[in-house]
Amino acid sequence: MPRSGPRLGIFGGTFDPPHVGHLAAAVNARHDLGLDRVLLVVANVPWQKVGERPVSAAGARLELVRLAVGDVEGVEASDLEIRRGGESYTADTVAELLDEDPSRDLFVIVGSDAAEGLPTWERVEEVRARATVVVVDRPGGSWGPPPGWEVRRVEVPRLEISSTDLRQRVVDGRPLDYLVPAPVVSGIERLGLYREPR
Ligand code: ATP
Ligand code: MG
């Protein structure tokens, strides 16, 4: 449902760690859709990943996202889900952002791999009713929306980069340079993240 206020993108993730795939998706979605801002919303407890692997502390992931965005215009790290605490559901994030300013026009941005899980999201109908769902095409994903769904597609350069691979690189002692912004490389070292195989 389009609203007349600021156009705001919500790009949620675990960001463990953030990488240039995330950043390229965020800036291209912002450009293509004419968004004022895109928030990189750091999940407090990413319910989809619970039980799958240990996730780094939310504060550490937020710090890395802040380092990653640097001073790129219109892209910001958001601690909204961390401040809210508990499991992170996009439906709650959408509700909170509309409570703050009901005129906002919200765009929920997901990669095509994450989009496959959309039908299983908590209160997904609420998300669809209150925001435009945007799918960013990611290598390997050949995603089609479920029947009856209206989604916007954004084409981004396909960057075959994942946080999973980056964590393994740290374990193996392989370089992260150019796959994540330089301040993130230093941040990962300083925080001592990903050294132990998980
Ligand atoms: P992991 O390997 O731990 O799952 P990830 O790289 O997939 O990490 P997430 O934090 O899980 O990163 O993803 C957050 C969002 O970013 C998701 O919507 C995901 O689809 C999207 N995304 C992640 N990597 C890319 C990429 N290289 N290009 C486009 N979108 C991406
Ligand atoms: Mg992922």
Side-chain angles (χ1 to χ4, degrees), residues 54-127:
V55 171
S56 305
R61 290 181 285 111
L62 175 66
E63 185 168 344
L64 294 182
V65 173
R66 288 196 169 129
L67 292 170
V69 297
D71 52 12
V72 174
E73 207 193 321
V75 180
E76 293 170 23
S78 168
D79 63 356
L80 193 137
E81 293 185 348
I82 297 174
R83 278 188 281 117
R84 190 165 68 232
E87 298 208 320
S88 301
Y89 298 118
T90 302
D92 295 328
T93 302
V94 165
E96 207 170 317
L97 289 167
L98 287 177
D99 280 348
E100 269 175 29
D101 177 359
S103 80
R104 279 175 173 157
D105 199 2
L106 298 184
F107 295 79
V108 170
I109 303 162
V110 293
S112 49
D113 63 313
E116 277 169 35
L118 271 172
T120 69
W121 281 18
E122 178 87 4
R123 307 197 311 283
V124 70
E125 292 308 323
E126 197 181 307
V127 174

Side-chain angles (χ1 to χ4, degrees), residues 38 42 47-48 53 63 65 73 80 91 114 118 129 132 158 160 164 178 185:
V38 174
V42 180
W47 58 272
Q48 287 130 317
R53 66 172 183 90
E63 185 168 344
V65 173
E73 207 193 321
L80 193 137
L118 271 172
T132 303
R158 290 176 169 249
E160 188 64 75
T164 301
Y178 306 115
V185 180

Side-chain angles (χ1 to χ4, degrees), residues 11-17 19 21-22 25 49 53 109-115 136-139 156-157 159-165 167:
F11 189 34
T14 311
F15 301 115
D16 196 14
H19 51 70
H22 296 131
K49 284 177 181 159
R53 66 172 183 90
I109 303 162
V110 293
S112 49
D113 63 313
V136 173
D137 277 311
R138 192 179 183 189
V156 298
L159 298 171
E160 188 64 75
I161 303 172
S162 71
S163 303
T164 301
D165 174 63
R167 293 190 299 272

